[in-house]
């Protein structure tokens, strides 16, 4: 589509930034755990379990197949937002912008009264779009913690810590990348502040436990 390419290239850079950010947020606001719970069960996932609209609460409430579908669709929306932003403003920083706004849309969805999930799936997908090596470190830490402790929130927090560590490893000297990773990792940890309290109290639920009310989800 040469005409579209010409139109995009003729736009001021600030306008392309705005389009990428808004499109990413709107894509991220398509919270698939909420959408699927409405379509399949005529209900709202946020009424059950932890009250969060994400993969872990979907797993607890509706089972593995629905949780897997939520994982794939939430990952794809993040990848789509990152690719669109890369097309508009260039690689790496485009992925950072598009993926970040998609994550914010997932956590604070415009279409669902700004009450969504905790962005773990979106965060991992975002890191893959920035650099698969950093994603490999984060996912490796995540998997090890899950295997040892079977607590999703703890694995998510450890993965969030691993993000800026991986940025130091692969982008030493590029302090903008490290600062970005530190801020995003800190944001994910902040979203898990209630989980941290339960972890300290020894009341956080492991994977496989079910709870009809209360809080115990990571995503």
């Amino acid at each position: 589509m040469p005409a579209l390419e010409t139109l995009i290239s003729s736009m001021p850079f600030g306008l392309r930034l705005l389009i990428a950010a808004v499109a990413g947020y709107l894509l991220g606001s398509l919270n698939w755990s909420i959408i699927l719970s409405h379509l399949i069960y005529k209900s709202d996932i946020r009424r059950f379990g932890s009250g969060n609209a994400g993969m872990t609460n979907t797993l607890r409430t509706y089972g593995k197949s629905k949780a897997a579908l939520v994982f794939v669709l939430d990952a794809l929306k993040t990848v789509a937002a990152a690719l669109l932003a890369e097309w508009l403003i260039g690689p790496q920083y485009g992925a950072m912008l598009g993926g970040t706004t998609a994550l914010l849309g997932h956590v604070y969805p415009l279409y669902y009264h700004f009450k969504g999930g905790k962005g773990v799936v979106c965060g991992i997908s975002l890191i893959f779009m920035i650099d698969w090596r950093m994603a490999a470190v984060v996912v490796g830490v995540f998997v090890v913690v899950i295997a040892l402790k079977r607590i999703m929130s703890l694995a998510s927090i450890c993965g969030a810590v691993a993000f800026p560590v991986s940025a130091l490893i692969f982008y030493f000297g590029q302090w903008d990348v490290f600062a970005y990773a530190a801020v995003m990792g800190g944001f994910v940890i902040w979203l898990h502040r209630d989980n941290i309290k339960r972890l300290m109290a020894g009341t956080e639920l492991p994977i496989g436990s079910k709870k009809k009310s209360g809080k115990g989800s990571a995503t």
Side-chain angles (χ1 to χ4, degrees):
M1 297 182 289
L4 183 58
E5 293 282 356
T6 302
L7 175 62
I8 294 298
S9 63
S10 66
M11 287 182 180
F13 185 69
L15 178 58
R16 282 183 278 150
L17 280 174
L18 179 62
I19 293 172
V22 171
Y25 175 73
L26 294 177
L27 281 169
S29 291
L30 294 169
N31 189 298
W32 286 102
S33 62
I34 298 175
I35 293 171
L36 291 176
S37 68
H38 281 308
L39 289 177
I40 299 173
Y41 299 102
K42 311 301 181 186
S43 188
D44 190 327
I45 184 67
R46 295 169 298 180
R47 293 174 51 202
F48 303 97
S50 66
N52 289 312
M55 184 193 69
T56 303
N57 202 29
T58 302
L59 175 63
R60 292 190 193 282
T61 306
Y62 299 131
K64 294 179 181 179
S65 62
K66 303 304 184 297
L69 186 56
V70 167
F71 179 94
V72 170
L73 293 173
D74 279 346
L76 286 176
K77 74 181 181 186
T78 310
V79 170
L83 289 174
L84 176 61
E86 283 189 341
W87 180 57
L88 287 167
I89 65 176
Q92 192 178 75
Y93 291 110
M96 289 180 179
L97 176 63
T100 299
T101 53
L103 187 150
L104 290 173
H106 178 83
V107 176
Y108 306 111
L110 176 65
Y111 318 124
Y112 304 106
H113 308 291
F114 303 101
K115 185 182 178 184
K118 294 187 178 177
V120 174
V121 173
C122 294
I124 292 173
S125 305
L126 162 61
I127 300 168
F128 265 110
M129 293 303 295
I130 297 171
D131 191 322
W132 67 267
R133 299 171 301 173
M134 290 197 295
V137 172
V138 171
V139 171
V141 170
F142 185 92
V143 169
V144 168
V145 176
I146 284 290
L148 294 176
K149 296 295 186 179
R150 295 187 58 78
I151 299 177
M152 187 70 76
S153 60
L154 180 61
S156 302
I157 293 164
C158 291
V161 172
F163 185 23
V165 173
S166 69
L168 275 178
I169 295 170
F170 298 113
Y171 290 91
F172 186 79
Q174 291 184 238
W175 301 114
D176 55 340
V177 177
F178 171 74
Y180 170 81
V183 169
M184 293 305 296
F187 178 60
V188 171
I189 292 171
W190 179 79
L191 290 173
H192 286 83
R193 58 197 182 278
D194 290 334
N195 302 84
I196 292 171
K197 293 177 183 177
R198 289 191 294 275
L199 286 166
M200 295 176 67
T203 58
E204 184 73 317
L205 293 174
I207 296 172
S209 300
K210 291 188 177 182
K211 190 176 182 181
K212 292 185 178 179
S213 63
K215 294 188 178 181
S217 175
T219 58

